[in-house]
Amino acid sequence: QVQLQESGPGLVRPSETLSLTCVVSGGSINSHYWNWIRQPPGKGLEWVGYIHYSGSTNYNPSLESRVTISIDTSKNQFSLGLTSVTAADTAIYYCARDDVGSGLDSWGQGTLVTVSS
Amino acid sequence: QSVLTQPPSASGTPGQRVTISCSGSSSNIGTNSVYWYQQLPGTAPKLLIYSNNQRPSGVPDRFSGSVSGTSASLAISGLRSEDEADYYCAAWDDRLRFGGGTKLTVL
């Protein structure tokens, strides 16, 4: 049973860069697509983007200019970077595995990131 | 305003059958698979339905999905108190789209 765990700062200053890491355990990162999804408090889900283990990426066009997702197969983890953050980026950030064609079948517990000075 | 439109709320009594709709377009639901996710309060979403109507292992057969044209539906039969949650549909077009979510209340 694969497990995912997000980690990173819970508070980020406006205009700075949000950085999160998702560690994958119980399975190899050398398959599937690895996603970031976010959820503002009390609101719905928004897909941020994914990375394939080969390194190819796909980002939400509304965030593409500010997002970078990278992968470190040696550490079985992948990361999210979001630049120039504002209060609108305050959200619970989830990492999730996409079993191609079978949906986001494994999720981390989520981590709340607040953007505030 | 989400590209995939869901009713904000739904309700039913224990044992009832309820359905949640998800309206999209030819570029998402009309072309690609629909997924449904259940989010219990304070927890991460959980995959309920994939490929329009397939259940992952461990999901009770009380949950079923269907698609017709550019609309999808999630049906829950034999409603139970533990089904009280937020439900999200999802489909790909130029990005993975989520519906706005439906809060299901078990009366």
Side-chain angles (χ1 to χ4, degrees):
Chain A
Q1 177 80 356
V2 68
Q3 293 186 314
L4 294 84
Q5 178 68 59
E6 307 89 348
S7 64
L11 179 65
V12 181
R13 306 299 183 193
S15 80
E16 296 188 346
T17 296
L18 178 161
S19 297
L20 296 174
T21 295
C22 180
V23 175
V24 179
S25 59
S28 173
I29 205 170
N30 288 313
S31 63
H32 300 96
Y33 291 79
W34 303 94
N35 292 253
W36 288 98
I37 299 97
R38 69 182 186 177
Q39 184 173 36
K43 297 188 178 181
L45 301 168
E46 179 180 36
W47 177 73
V48 175
Y50 70 61
I51 188 164
H52 187 247
Y53 73 94
S54 65
S56 66
T57 55
N58 187 13
Y59 300 137
N60 186 324
S62 69
L63 299 169
E64 189 165 18
S65 63
R66 300 193 293 129
V67 171
T68 300
I69 299 176
S70 59
I71 193 165
D72 186 337
T73 55
S74 67
K75 295 182 178 179
N76 232 39
Q77 64 185 41
F78 62 107
S79 299
L80 169 69
L82 182 65
T83 63
S84 305
V85 297
T86 69
D89 295 309
T90 293
I92 298 172
Y93 285 77
Y94 296 100
C95 57
R97 184 183 78 169
D98 186 339
D99 190 3
V100 180
S102 299
L104 299 167
D105 64 346
S106 296
W107 294 65
Q109 64 184 28
T111 187
L112 175 63
V113 178
T114 301
V115 178
S116 176
S117 56
Chain B
Q1 192 77 0
S2 301
V3 167
L4 301 183
T5 302
Q6 298 181 236
S9 63
S11 63
T13 55
Q16 259 191 333
R17 181 177 187 272
V18 297
T19 60
I20 297 172
S21 62
C22 175
S23 178
S25 70
S26 58
S27 62
N28 40 63
I29 294 177
T31 308
N32 300 306
S33 290
V34 175
Y35 306 87
W36 289 93
Y37 297 90
Q38 175 194 58
Q39 187 174 32
L40 297 170
T43 69
K46 170 191 170 184
L47 179 65
L48 268 187
I49 298 288
Y50 67 95
S51 297
N52 299 337
N53 55 18
Q54 301 298 301
R55 286 185 307 276
S57 172
V59 174
D61 60 6
R62 301 187 297 105
F63 295 91
S64 62
S66 64
V67 172
S68 178
T70 59
S71 294
S73 293
L74 173 71
I76 309 171
S77 60
L79 195 64
R80 304 174 69 163
S81 58
E82 56 260 42
D83 298 332
E84 189 159 288
D86 294 325
Y87 292 84
Y88 295 91
C89 61
W92 284 93
D93 48 35
D94 68 336
R95 71 200 75 179
L96 180 61
R97 303 275 191 181
F98 287 96
T102 299
K103 184 175 185 61
L104 175 64
T105 300
V106 180
L107 302 170

